[in-house]
Amino acid sequence: MLIDPKSNVPIFRQIADQIREAVDAGVYRPEEALPSLRALAVEIRVNPNTVQRAYDELDREGVIESRRGLGVFVVDQRRLAVGSRAEKKLARLLKEAVATGSAEGVTPARMRELFESTLRTNLQAAGKRK
Amino acid sequence: MLIDPKSNVPIFRQIADQIREAVDAGVYRPEEALPSLRALAVEIRVNPNTVQRAYDELDREGVIESRRGLGVFVVDQRRLAVGSRAEKKLARLLKEAVATGSAEGVTPARMRELFESTLRTNLQAAGKRK
Amino acid sequence: MLIDPKSNVPIFRQIADQIREAVDAGVYRPEEALPSLRALAVEIRVNPNTVQRAYDELDREGVIESRRGLGVFVVDQRRLAVGSRAEKKLARLLKEAVATGSAEGVTPARMRELFESTLRTNLQAAGKRK
Amino acid sequence: MLIDPKSNVPIFRQIADQIREAVDAGVYRPEEALPSLRALAVEIRVNPNTVQRAYDELDREGVIESRRGLGVFVVDQRRLAVGSRAEKKLARLLKEAVATGSAEGVTPARMRELFESTLRTNLQAAGKRK
DNA sequence: GTGGTCTAGACCACA
DNA sequence: GTGGTCTAGACCACG
């Protein structure tokens, strides 16, 4: 893990990016523990808070999962794989949407934006119906 | 804005929740500026970093948008509404997916999980094709 | 006994709350033994320390009592009810105080605070007289 | 601060007792910070958890107060001093009760036991009335 | 020991 | 002035 403190890319993002790549590349296996916050902080000589912020980002993305008192672990993507029929249906629709967007050049960030917007709109509509 | 420092709900989340509700309720109009980080921090007597963390969360959700040197602003959801044909198509598909999930009782958190998972899978596939 | 590890309510408090309710509801009778630390820990899949902390809390509240080498037992509230004339008098006064506070909307936590403060003040006064 | 690890008195209680005495004796002034958890743990060579348990006990008793991110502080007893009329009334009754108990030789621990028992009984009665 | 939240106060980039 | 990042170091919940 190499960090360039002078880069314009924030340190916490450099960390997150490298871990994300490592997970995608299979360097860390599903359910495997990553280095502890403090251990990684010492190793790359940054403040533990900075590492935490990186882990936070990966947690929100669903790449890793932290278990208090135990450590942080690579999420087994297969475990996410949809139980109920409702979820299967949803997953299929999402896959179609993402594939379409991707094929037509919409960036992931923009897709996330649209997804969140849709979610929010839906929630408000649902709320008002109460 | 009322904060309970002894609550089990983290302060930054209390802040985020209250602002989100205020925005939904129309207390803040689209494109309107929210209180500055430091101003809000003074008002509710917490550290500016804690307020920032709340703003961060809302930013990621697309509720607000911060513009460095200017302040943080309520995002005009209509502005997200999409420009290109590709985005329109994507938006329609996402809406369908979310509506379906919502109707069948899938929680927003779970939908977000599945969406992120789908995104990630798609990106990896796209990457390998390179 | 159902535990939600993702809840914001700490696990040890979830445990304590459920046991307190069970005792109040008469699920466990006075003088009856509760599940052993380790047995309960295994059953609900948490660390024994966590269970210990829950039992600790209930012990301090006087709901249960642990007897070394034997187990933990539901305290028979009638047993507390007082032996000596002095205790009867005290109990009567405390009951009046608590009833008054409760009727006027003082929270239990605040009553405890005032009680402890009173106790402390009294002890110091007694000490100085020595 | 001297700790006797061989004593029958648990270490955390030895710590709590000594700090309580120090506060009563005015060694630490109201609003003054106590040694941090870890600092004290290192100094007297015990596990930080043990110190925390001592601080916990003092916190519940209202002797000290911990402020996240800052440290633990001696509570200014004057600050507790009853605002509302209801609290004044309650405080007066509690003072009478404690003074009576104290005068007739009831121990503080026993008083606390009776107080907690009374509180609990009252709460249950209030709950059932719902 | 682990991760999580918070504070104080620093420096930076931007307007 | 604004927000963004980082450090040092605190307590908190859990194992």
Side-chain angles (χ1 to χ4, degrees):
Chain A
M1 174 98 62
L2 287 178
I3 298 301
D4 173 9
K6 293 181 182 165
S7 164
N8 280 334
V9 180
I11 295 177
F12 79 91
R13 184 141 293 139
Q14 293 182 45
I15 300 172
D17 289 345
Q18 290 186 42
I19 293 181
R20 196 183 300 105
E21 280 168 30
V23 169
D24 284 351
V27 176
Y28 297 109
R29 316 294 306 171
E31 297 300 322
E32 186 180 345
L34 271 65
S36 85
L37 274 181
R38 289 163 178 81
L40 185 52
V42 167
E43 185 194 328
I44 60 180
R45 250 105 79 157
V46 298
N47 188 288
N49 280 329
T50 305
V51 178
Q52 170 131 22
R53 210 169 158 188
Y55 278 9
D56 233 56
E57 182 147 310
L58 295 169
D59 193 334
R60 285 196 311 268
E61 290 176 7
V63 175
I64 65 176
E65 185 180 63
S66 57
R67 302 174 193 160
R68 186 152 44 176
L70 293 176
V72 317
F73 300 82
V74 175
V75 167
D76 186 347
Q77 296 299 327
R78 292 163 307 185
R79 213 199 52 199
L80 290 178
V82 291
S84 65
R85 229 191 38 227
E87 289 190 3
K88 280 211 176 66
K89 196 165 162 187
L90 171 58
R92 195 170 41 72
L93 290 168
L94 284 173
K95 194 174 169 187
E96 186 188 343
V98 167
T100 302
S102 180
E104 309 216 9
V106 183
T107 66
R110 184 69 176 126
M111 287 198 252
R112 192 177 280 120
E113 205 170 85
L114 288 170
F115 173 76
E116 289 289 346
S117 168
T118 307
L119 242 193
R120 211 157 40 245
T121 305
N122 183 281
L123 285 177
Q124 282 177 34
K128 280 178 190 157
R129 253 183 268 124
K130 268 192 297 200
Chain B
M1 172 97 65
L2 286 179
I3 298 300
D4 174 7
K6 291 183 182 167
S7 164
N8 289 106
V9 180
I11 295 177
F12 79 91
R13 183 143 293 141
Q14 293 183 45
I15 299 172
D17 289 345
Q18 291 187 41
I19 293 181
R20 196 183 302 104
E21 279 169 31
V23 169
D24 284 352
V27 176
Y28 296 109
R29 317 294 306 171
E31 297 300 324
E32 187 181 345
L34 270 65
S36 85
L37 274 182
R38 289 164 179 82
L40 184 52
V42 168
E43 185 194 329
I44 60 180
R45 250 109 77 161
V46 298
N47 188 288
N49 279 330
T50 305
V51 178
Q52 169 132 22
R53 212 169 156 188
Y55 279 8
D56 235 56
E57 183 147 309
L58 295 169
D59 192 334
R60 285 196 312 266
E61 290 177 7
V63 175
I64 65 176
E65 185 180 65
S66 57
R67 302 174 193 158
R68 184 148 49 172
L70 293 175
V72 317
F73 299 84
V74 176
V75 167
D76 186 346
Q77 296 300 327
R78 293 163 306 186
R79 211 200 55 201
L80 289 178
V82 293
S84 66
R85 229 188 39 226
E87 289 191 1
K88 280 213 176 66
K89 196 166 163 187
L90 172 58
R92 195 171 42 72
L93 290 169
L94 285 173
K95 194 174 169 187
E96 187 188 341
V98 167
T100 302
S102 180
E104 309 215 8
V106 182
T107 66
R110 184 71 175 125
M111 286 198 252
R112 191 176 282 120
E113 209 169 83
L114 288 170
F115 173 75
E116 290 289 346
S117 168
T118 307
L119 242 193
R120 212 157 38 244
T121 304
N122 183 280
L123 285 177
Q124 282 176 35
K128 280 178 191 156
R129 257 183 266 122
K130 266 193 296 201
Chain C
M1 174 96 63
L2 286 180
I3 298 301
D4 173 9
K6 289 183 182 168
S7 164
N8 289 108
V9 180
I11 294 178
F12 80 93
R13 179 142 296 139
Q14 293 183 43
I15 299 173
D17 288 346
Q18 291 186 43
I19 293 182
R20 195 184 302 104
E21 279 169 30
V23 169
D24 284 352
V27 176
Y28 295 109
R29 316 294 307 171
E31 298 300 325
E32 185 179 345
L34 269 66
S36 83
L37 270 184
R38 286 170 182 74
L40 184 52
V42 168
E43 185 196 329
I44 60 181
R45 250 108 79 163
V46 299
N47 189 292
N49 280 331
T50 305
V51 178
Q52 163 103 298
R53 213 167 158 190
Y55 278 9
D56 237 53
E57 180 148 311
L58 295 169
D59 192 332
R60 286 197 310 268
E61 290 176 8
V63 174
I64 65 175
E65 187 180 62
S66 59
R67 302 178 192 154
R68 191 150 40 171
L70 293 175
V72 314
F73 299 84
V74 176
V75 167
D76 186 347
Q77 296 299 327
R78 293 162 308 185
R79 209 198 58 199
L80 290 179
V82 292
S84 67
R85 229 189 39 227
E87 289 190 2
K88 281 211 175 65
K89 198 165 161 188
L90 173 58
R92 195 171 40 72
L93 290 168
L94 284 173
K95 194 174 168 185
E96 187 190 342
V98 167
T100 302
S102 180
E104 309 216 8
V106 182
T107 66
R110 183 71 175 127
M111 287 198 250
R112 192 176 282 119
E113 208 170 83
L114 288 170
F115 173 76
E116 290 287 348
S117 169
T118 306
L119 241 193
R120 211 154 43 241
T121 304
N122 182 280
L123 286 177
Q124 283 176 35
K128 279 177 192 157
R129 255 183 268 123
K130 267 192 295 201
Chain D
M1 172 98 63
L2 287 179
I3 298 301
D4 173 10
K6 291 180 185 168
S7 163
N8 280 334
V9 180
I11 294 179
F12 81 91
R13 183 142 293 139
Q14 294 182 44
I15 299 173
D17 289 345
Q18 292 187 41
I19 293 181
R20 197 184 299 105
E21 281 168 28
V23 169
D24 285 352
V27 175
Y28 295 110
R29 317 293 307 171
E31 298 299 323
E32 187 180 344
L34 269 66
S36 85
L37 272 181
R38 283 165 180 76
L40 184 52
V42 167
E43 186 195 328
I44 60 181
R45 249 106 78 167
V46 299
N47 189 296
N49 280 331
T50 306
V51 178
Q52 169 134 12
R53 214 170 154 191
Y55 278 10
D56 234 55
E57 182 146 310
L58 295 169
D59 193 334
R60 284 196 312 269
E61 290 177 8
V63 175
I64 65 175
E65 183 180 65
S66 58
R67 302 179 192 155
R68 188 152 42 170
L70 294 177
V72 318
F73 299 82
V74 175
V75 167
D76 187 347
Q77 295 300 326
R78 292 164 304 187
R79 215 197 53 199
L80 289 178
V82 290
S84 66
R85 228 190 39 228
E87 288 190 3
K88 280 211 177 64
K89 198 165 162 187
L90 172 58
R92 194 169 43 70
L93 290 168
L94 284 174
K95 195 174 168 185
E96 187 189 341
V98 167
T100 302
S102 181
E104 310 215 9
V106 182
T107 66
R110 184 72 175 122
M111 287 198 252
R112 191 176 281 121
E113 207 170 84
L114 288 170
F115 173 76
E116 290 289 346
S117 167
T118 307
L119 243 193
R120 207 157 43 244
T121 304
N122 183 281
L123 284 178
Q124 281 176 36
K128 279 176 189 157
R129 255 183 266 125
K130 268 191 298 199

